[in-house]
Amino acid sequence: MLEVSADMGAKVLKRFSAGAPRGSWPAEEFAARRRDEGEPAKVVMDLKSDAFLVVVPVGDED
């Protein structure tokens, strides 16, 4: 996860397998809940690990 954080300037909140059942979007749902709480979360694909990552930008406080 540190490589992703360094390369993207983002902190990984959670990883989700890309093999979720058809019609299921757990990463998007998790990110939406974080956005509802005021965090600017978004979903990106990590091709190397075949996973969806929910990330937030790294702020000055980190």
Side-chain angles (χ1 to χ4, degrees), residues 30-61:
F30 181 83
R33 288 192 301 272
R34 299 296 75 79
R35 288 190 296 270
D36 289 345
E37 295 172 356
E39 282 190 276
K42 67 179 183 176
V43 177
V44 296
M45 179 70 180
D46 179 8
L47 295 175
K48 190 181 245 184
S49 67
D50 193 31
F52 291 106
L53 310 176
V54 178
V55 299
V56 292
V58 174
D60 292 335
E61 68 277 358

Side-chain angles (χ1 to χ4, degrees), residues 13-14 16 25-35 41 54:
L13 296 180
K14 193 163 183 179
F16 293 87
W25 301 95
E28 291 291 347
E29 293 164 0
F30 181 83
R33 288 192 301 272
R34 299 296 75 79
R35 288 190 296 270
V54 178

Side-chain angles (χ1 to χ4, degrees), residues 1-13 39-42 54-62:
M1 283 197 278
L2 293 176
E3 288 180 71
V4 173
S5 296
D7 292 344
M8 294 178 46
K11 175 182 173 185
V12 177
L13 296 180
E39 282 190 276
K42 67 179 183 176
V54 178
V55 299
V56 292
V58 174
D60 292 335
E61 68 277 358
D62 286 350

